[in-house]
């Protein structure tokens, strides 16, 4: 929708004689819903719902029409007087039909008309979560354990994403070419769902701010029964030998202007004189193990440790069982939807109740310049912005449909990262942790006995959490045996599996990008250029609407 709206907005507004009466933008230049109530038309963005490309969406749902790759020349400049070839007509007709069929398939599966489909993937589970939460009287529990606005802001600082990193000692090395070494990838089965359903690491009551001083040693000792979110000052940090994957992120350092001497490894510190940041107890355990440093607790919150609410965990397990019980080939729609719903449960917990609202300026003259997206807070002072967000947070607290608090979110990602480092201990002493990406580790020389012990611990955690299920929830399974492997940095690696060379590079299409390497992994290095004419990837620019509109 963001792309199409740029080209057609002025034509539509001229035709309708009005501007939208309601519009939701998730960021600048990105509307996801545009409504013209008087004429009964709503434009919605299907990409944010699908959470994948149209090509992948059509393949996953196995609809009749698929995207016709290679039949459209994106480099060609076109006007309204364009004559299309038969291939080009086939291409854009298939695009439309594939999109319609995917939406119809989702609507049929969810039992709603197309116009009632949620805007986002998270919205798919929202109604069911709210219904189950209401039945469990979860809003009352939420109110009693909810964070104050200031506390909520601190917890957002403790939240981090998945852990993705390349061993600096291995970057650029072509395993399998320079030697006969095989790199094996172990992948977690539903990493975040396992944390949410089976790990007793979450607050059981309101996370209270404590005034009593505490040492890092005491905090980690008490963390067996209590969970913590703490602001800490770290000084003289130096990564201990034998730790190829540093955890301290430079982007989270509040002392960035006073950090002193430091050494970075792809955005993470090998050494740093001063670091101030917010962490959970799980994060602090890893930091303490990795670094020689002094850690002082500046302020902290704590609560008794336990599981997430039972009703929410039961829903996680229900969706996991549904995903495992569906045959992907026999029911592609059911499998894809089960996977989307299961993965959306983490996103539901991690939604920020305080978001900047983006508006679109429609106050332009007929011959005016480009339209503008701007934040509602754009001309506010810092104090006004704080009150603006505080009022938004108050509405979130009072909303009867709110059933899960944000305080769980930092512990979900921290728990998944904690498991990643636990799994890394299953690599033999003379083995190498080469690369990892959130829920998987590429390594040389795994210890199979330790892996089985790790998986048995996961099975026991599932049982202890009260579930008797199959599917290997949380376990580390064999994912890839790479006869060739090379990683350059985060989200940038190439590998050969079953004789086929593949790539994973942020922003580069997998299949088309792999062709650039000409089936030779030695062509994958820091100087490799993935050209647009090879990958089909173009630079996306927003140009002044008048340059389009004047031709109308």
């Amino acid at each position: 929708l963001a792309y199409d709206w740029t080209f057609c907005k002025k034509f539509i507004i001229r035709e309708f004689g009005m501007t939208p009466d309601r519009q939701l933008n998730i960021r600048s230049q990105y509307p996801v819903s545009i409504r013209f109530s008087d004429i009964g038309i709503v434009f919605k963005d299907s990409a944010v719902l699908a959470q994948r490309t149209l090509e992948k969406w059509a393949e996953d749902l196995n609809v009749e029409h698929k995207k016709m790759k290679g039949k459209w020349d994106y480099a060609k400049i076109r006007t309204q007087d364009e004559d299309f070839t038969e291939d080009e007509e086939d291409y854009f007709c298939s695009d439309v039909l594939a999109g319609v069929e995917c939406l119809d398939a989702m609507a049929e599966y969810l039992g709603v008309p197309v116009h009632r489909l949620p805007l986002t993937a998270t919205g798919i589970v929202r109604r069911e979560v709210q219904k189950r939460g209401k039945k469990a009287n979860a809003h009352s529990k939420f109110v009693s354990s909810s964070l104050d606005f200031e506390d909520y802001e601190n917890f957002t600082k403790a939240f981090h994403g998945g852990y993705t990193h390349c061993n600096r000692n291995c970057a650029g090395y072509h395993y399998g070419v320079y030697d006969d070494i095989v790199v094996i990838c172990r992948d977690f089965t539903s990493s975040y769902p396992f944390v949410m359903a089976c790990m007793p690491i979450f607050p059981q009551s309101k996370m209270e701010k404590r005034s009593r001083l505490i040492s890092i040693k005491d905090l980690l000792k008490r963390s067996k029964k209590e969970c913590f979110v703490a602001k800490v000052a770290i000084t003289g940090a130096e990564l201990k030998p034998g730790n190829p994957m540093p955890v301290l992120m430079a982007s989270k350092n509040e002392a960035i202007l006073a950090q002193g001497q430091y050494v970075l490894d792809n955005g993470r510190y090998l050494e740093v004189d001063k670091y101030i940041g917010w962490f959970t107890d799980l994060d602090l355990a890893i930091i303490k193990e990795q670094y020689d440093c002094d850690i002082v607790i500046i302020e902290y919150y704590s609560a008794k440790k336990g599981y997430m609410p039972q009703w929410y965990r039961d829903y996680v397990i229900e969706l996991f069982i549904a995903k495992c019980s569906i045959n992907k080939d026999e029911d592609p729609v059911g499998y894809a939807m089960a996977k989307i719903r299961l993965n959306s449960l983490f996103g539901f917990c991690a939604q920020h109740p305080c978001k900047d609202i983006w508006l679109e300026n429609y106050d332009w003259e007929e011959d005016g310049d480009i339209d503008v997206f701007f934040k509602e807070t754009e001309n506010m002072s810092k104090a006004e912005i704080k009150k603006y967000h505080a009022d938004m947070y108050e509405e979130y607290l009072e909303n009867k449909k709110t059933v899960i608090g944000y305080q769980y979110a930092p512990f979900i990602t921290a728990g998944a990262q904690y498991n990643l480092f636990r799994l890394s201990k299953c690599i033999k002493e003379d083995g190498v942790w080469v690369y990892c990406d959130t829920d998987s580790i590429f390594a040389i020389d795994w210890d199979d006995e330790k892996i089985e012990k790790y998986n048995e611990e996961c099975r026991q955690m599932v049982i202890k959490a009260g579930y008797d299920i199959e599917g290997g929830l949380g376990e580390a399974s064999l994912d890839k045996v790479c006869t060739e492997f090379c990683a350059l940095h985060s989200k940038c690696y190439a590998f050969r599996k079953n004789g086929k060379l593949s790539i994973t590079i942020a922003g580069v299409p997998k299949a088309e990008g792999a062709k650039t390497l000409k089936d030779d992994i030695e062509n994958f290095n820091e100087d490799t250029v993935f050209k647009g004419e090879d990958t089909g990837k173009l630079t996306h620019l927003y140009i002044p609407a008048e340059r389009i509109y004047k031709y109308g």
Side-chain angles (χ1 to χ4, degrees):
L1 179 59
Y3 183 83
D4 293 327
W5 188 239
T6 299
F7 289 96
C8 67
K9 68 177 73 175
K10 285 199 173 182
F11 297 101
I12 290 173
I13 290 170
R14 180 181 65 183
E15 184 68 24
F16 294 165
M18 64 184 76
T19 56
D21 64 294
R22 184 175 179 182
Q23 182 170 333
L24 175 64
N25 311 300
I26 57 176
R27 56 181 179 269
S28 177
Q29 303 287 356
Y30 207 121
V32 295
S33 176
I34 300 169
R35 187 181 73 181
F36 292 85
S37 294
D38 289 352
I39 51 176
I41 291 179
V42 181
F43 298 103
K44 294 182 180 181
D45 181 65
S46 57
V48 74
L49 170 62
Q51 293 292 301
R52 64 200 73 192
T53 64
L54 178 60
E55 179 186 351
K56 186 76 166 57
W57 199 18
E59 287 176 358
D60 287 349
L61 301 188
N62 196 28
V63 293
E64 180 182 351
H65 292 87
K66 308 291 196 299
K67 191 172 182 68
M68 291 187 170
K69 294 167 57 177
K71 288 197 172 186
W72 185 269
D73 182 2
Y74 277 97
K76 184 179 178 182
I77 297 174
R78 302 173 186 274
T79 71
Q80 285 87 340
D81 300 323
E82 183 75 17
D83 288 325
F84 300 108
T85 66
E86 187 174 333
D87 276 355
E88 289 172 334
E89 289 182 354
D90 286 346
Y91 179 91
F92 56 67
C93 285
S94 291
D95 261 22
V96 173
L97 290 168
V100 169
E101 289 164 6
C102 286
L103 290 168
D104 282 343
M106 290 186 75
E108 182 179 352
Y109 180 86
L110 295 173
V112 297
V114 170
H115 72 274
R116 291 291 305 278
L117 281 171
L119 280 175
T120 65
T122 305
I124 294 173
V125 297
R126 180 177 289 110
R127 292 169 194 164
E128 183 63 23
V129 168
Q130 290 172 344
K131 185 174 82 171
R132 291 176 183 236
K134 183 178 180 181
K135 188 175 180 180
N137 195 30
H139 181 71
S140 297
K141 170 73 173 174
F142 161 77
V143 171
S144 66
S145 62
S146 62
L147 302 167
D148 297 335
F149 175 65
E150 183 180 336
D151 301 337
Y152 155 74
E153 288 190 310
N154 291 335
F155 273 57
T156 62
K157 297 171 186 174
F159 178 85
H160 57 73
Y163 184 87
T164 303
H165 204 70
C166 171
N167 184 334
R168 62 192 178 281
N169 301 311
C170 304
Y173 189 85
H174 293 87
Y175 290 99
V177 176
Y178 302 157
D179 47 43
D180 295 326
I181 293 175
V182 172
V183 176
I184 294 176
C185 175
R186 296 276 177 178
D187 181 77
F188 291 119
T189 300
S190 298
S191 175
Y192 285 180
F194 173 72
V195 174
M196 290 187 287
C198 303
M199 291 185 70
I201 59 174
F202 299 95
Q204 298 302 286
S205 58
K206 182 174 181 178
M207 292 283 286
E208 297 288 353
K209 194 170 186 177
R210 310 298 182 181
S211 56
R212 176 174 169 265
L213 295 177
I214 186 173
S215 67
I216 184 64
K217 182 179 179 180
D218 287 343
L219 184 150
L220 293 177
K221 184 177 179 181
R222 286 170 52 183
S223 68
K224 293 179 181 179
K225 294 183 179 180
E226 295 178 69
C227 55
F228 291 85
V229 168
K231 184 178 184 179
V232 303
I234 302 172
T235 53
E238 185 174 344
L239 197 66
K240 296 176 184 177
N243 285 285
M245 302 296 195
V247 74
L248 277 177
M249 291 184 288
S251 61
K252 290 281 189 177
N253 189 359
E254 294 184 11
I256 193 72
L257 297 179
Q259 63 188 336
Q261 295 294 315
Y262 64 92
V263 179
L264 276 178
D265 170 28
N266 200 199
R268 297 180 184 272
Y269 289 112
L270 301 178
E271 299 176 18
V272 61
D273 285 348
K274 187 173 183 181
Y275 190 107
I276 295 176
W278 287 86
F279 300 98
T280 67
D281 52 286
L282 294 163
D283 300 319
L284 288 170
I286 298 173
I287 293 168
K288 184 65 177 172
E289 183 178 315
Q290 280 197 346
Y291 292 87
D292 284 319
C293 60
D294 291 320
I295 301 177
V296 175
I297 312 298
I298 300 173
E299 54 183 302
Y300 69 101
Y301 302 81
S302 67
K304 184 180 177 182
K305 180 179 284 189
Y307 293 104
M308 284 190 73
Q310 182 73 49
W311 65 271
Y312 199 78
R313 295 194 297 127
D314 289 347
Y315 190 37
V316 173
I317 294 296
E318 183 182 317
L319 293 185
F320 176 74
I321 292 172
K323 187 195 82 166
C324 294
S325 63
I326 297 172
N327 186 300
K328 184 178 180 180
D329 296 326
E330 293 177 3
D331 184 6
V333 176
Y335 180 82
M337 291 301 298
K339 193 172 180 180
I340 289 171
R341 291 164 73 198
L342 177 63
N343 293 340
S344 294
L345 287 178
F346 162 65
F348 191 86
C349 294
Q351 292 179 106
H352 285 288
C354 301
K355 299 186 183 78
D356 286 319
I357 295 176
W358 286 89
L359 304 174
E360 185 168 2
N361 178 23
Y362 288 107
D363 188 22
W364 27 253
E365 301 291 336
E366 187 69 18
D367 296 322
D369 198 0
I370 187 172
D371 50 282
V372 177
F373 283 80
F374 61 97
K375 287 183 182 179
E376 194 170 51
T377 56
E378 194 164 283
N379 296 317
M380 294 184 186
S381 65
K382 286 185 178 180
E384 289 171 329
I385 291 174
K386 191 173 183 67
K387 184 179 184 307
Y388 168 88
H389 285 141
D391 291 344
M392 195 178 290
Y393 189 74
E394 195 62 36
E395 290 178 17
Y396 158 78
L397 295 180
E398 294 173 357
N399 188 341
K400 299 292 184 183
K401 293 182 178 180
T402 307
V403 290
I404 284 287
Y406 182 83
Q407 65 267 29
Y408 298 115
F411 291 97
I412 297 173
T413 52
Q417 179 176 275
Y418 186 78
N419 288 338
L420 197 73
F421 280 87
R422 278 179 58 220
L423 180 61
S424 74
K425 298 182 188 304
C426 297
I427 303 168
K428 292 181 179 178
E429 275 192 33
D430 56 352
V432 182
W433 182 355
V434 179
Y435 182 85
C436 66
D437 193 347
T438 304
D439 61 357
S440 61
I441 292 179
F442 291 82
I444 298 163
D445 215 359
W446 289 93
D447 187 320
D448 292 337
E449 289 186 10
K450 288 185 177 180
I451 289 173
E452 180 50 39
K453 184 179 178 182
Y454 176 91
N455 287 339
E456 180 57 30
E457 288 175 359
C458 290
R459 287 190 282 272
Q460 292 304 314
M461 289 173 74
V462 173
I463 293 170
K464 191 173 181 180
Y467 302 106
D468 181 14
I469 59 173
E470 297 180 353
L473 179 61
E475 295 177 33
S477 58
L478 179 64
D479 182 47
K480 298 180 184 73
V481 176
C482 306
T483 53
E484 294 178 355
F485 184 87
C486 180
L488 301 179
H489 49 77
S490 298
K491 298 290 185 183
C492 184
Y493 60 93
F495 62 92
R496 190 179 297 278
K497 174 188 173 185
N498 297 329
K500 183 181 178 181
L501 188 60
S502 303
I503 64 164
T504 294
I505 304 172
V508 178
K510 291 180 183 290
E512 290 78 7
K515 293 176 184 177
T516 298
L517 302 182
K518 296 180 172 57
D519 200 39
D520 186 351
I521 198 170
E522 289 192 81
N523 290 327
F524 180 69
N525 52 62
E526 292 286 2
D527 296 323
T528 304
V529 176
F530 294 89
K531 296 179 181 178
E533 55 262 35
D534 297 329
T535 64
K537 195 79 174 178
L538 301 177
T539 302
H540 190 167
L541 300 175
Y542 289 93
I543 64 176
E546 283 303 318
R547 297 184 190 172
I548 304 164
Y549 180 69
K550 67 182 181 182
Y551 292 112

